């Protein structure tokens, strides 16, 4: 995280210093005083209470004014954009040999920052905390294999799609799974809060035993170690696993959802959303999205929804 002074703090201090404290004191002391010690004490208490109330109200109004600054304005002023990215989901986001994040989502984050003319501050997230990070302003954007569904659309906004992505059920070749009913009584490894977790819950039989893990690396490790019979994940991740561990005899079984990747934007940040959509449209027309997809996924983007 950047250690520079935030625009909020600077704005707050400037506004606070501009308060006319002499006028406030004059107004407060205009309260009629009592004719005896008791009334005087009550009057002093009232003045003190009024002063504290007015000061608190002023601070609240200042805070509201500072928060009215849009995310795009804050990004432009600070010359930095905080983008949530995955570091446990190759080839979309992972830590390379140089210990730096890389992958399709990381490259997309850097592309958007470059088009905005600002520095990208990459914020590693998991499937479970990426949306909360956006809601609590720990990130300005989420570029982390984020699929769109009605539940998520209630709490955040989505850009146009920038990359292909689909989730599925995988298992060893000798495990017979031809329909979701065949998952009955089996164990499945899945990342908590990921799209595949949500979609599987809609179609799987009640007797399916879920083994949920906090990040993708733990999910893959559990399946590879034989802790579950079934793996629910993206095709890209499964393909990477097939290459690295051919002894698992892993194969595709069932489609869960064809869900392209979208950029997540906080509710109310319409200016930032419009800017991101403009960047995506230009990158698509220029062939930049196609190039990223071919580099990291080995295939083109295909038809991406708006």
């Amino acid at each position: 995280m950047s250690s520079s002074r935030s625009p909020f703090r600077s704005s707050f201090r400037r506004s606070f210093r501009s308060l006319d404290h002499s006028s406030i004191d004059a107004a407060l002391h205009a309260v009629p005083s009592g004719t005896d010690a008791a009334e005087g004490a009550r009057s002093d208490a009232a003045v003190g209470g009024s002063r504290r109330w007015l000061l608190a109200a002023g601070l609240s109004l200042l805070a509201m004014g500072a928060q009215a600054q849009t995310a795009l304005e804050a990004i432009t002023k600070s010359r930095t954009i905080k983008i949530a990215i995955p570091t446990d989901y190759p080839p979309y986001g992972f830590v390379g040999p140089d210990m730096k994040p890389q992958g399709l989502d990381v490259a997309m984050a850097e592309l958007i920052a470059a088009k905005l003319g600002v520095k990208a501050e990459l914020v590693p997230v998991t499937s479970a905390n990426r949306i909360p990070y956006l809601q609590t302003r720990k990130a300005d954007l989420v570029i982390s294999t984020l699929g769109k569904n009605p539940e998520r659309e209630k709490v955040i906004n989505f850009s146009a799609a920038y990359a292909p992505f689909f989730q599925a059920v995988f298992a060893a070749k000798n495990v017979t799974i031809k329909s979701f009913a065949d998952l009955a009584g089996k164990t499945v490894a899945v990342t908590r809060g990921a799209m595949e977790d949500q979609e599987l819950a809609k179609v799987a039989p009640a007797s399916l035993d879920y083994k949920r893990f906090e990040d993708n690396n733990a999910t893959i490790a559990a399946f590879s170690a034989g802790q579950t019979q079934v793996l629910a994940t993206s095709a890209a991740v499964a393909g990477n696993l097939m290459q690295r561990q051919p002894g698992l005899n892993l194969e595709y079984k069932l489609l869960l959802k064809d869900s392209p990747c979208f950029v997540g934007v906080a509710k109310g940040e319409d200016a930032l959303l419009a800017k991101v959509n403009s960047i995506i449209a230009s990158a698509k027309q220029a062939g930049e999205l196609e190039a990223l997809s071919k580099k990291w996924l080995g295939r083109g983007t295909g038809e991406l929804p708006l």
Side-chain angles (χ1 to χ4, degrees), residues 86-97 100-104 106 296:
T87 55
D88 66 337
Y89 217 85
Y92 291 90
F94 58 100
V95 178
K100 294 181 180 179
Q102 59 181 275
L104 191 152
V106 177
W296 295 106

Side-chain angles (χ1 to χ4, degrees), residues 84-147:
I85 50 96
T87 55
D88 66 337
Y89 217 85
Y92 291 90
F94 58 100
V95 178
D98 59 357
M99 301 307 294
K100 294 181 180 179
Q102 59 181 275
L104 191 152
D105 283 351
V106 177
M108 188 66 193
E110 292 171 341
L111 183 149
I112 288 178
K115 299 291 185 181
L116 288 172
V118 300
K119 176 185 176 182
E121 181 180 323
L122 302 178
V123 183
V125 291
T126 64
S127 293
N129 68 19
R130 54 190 171 173
I131 290 178
Y133 264 49
L134 189 61
Q135 294 174 305
T136 57
R137 300 300 194 264
K138 291 181 180 178
D140 299 308
L141 300 175
V142 171
I143 304 181
S144 180
T145 60
L146 188 63

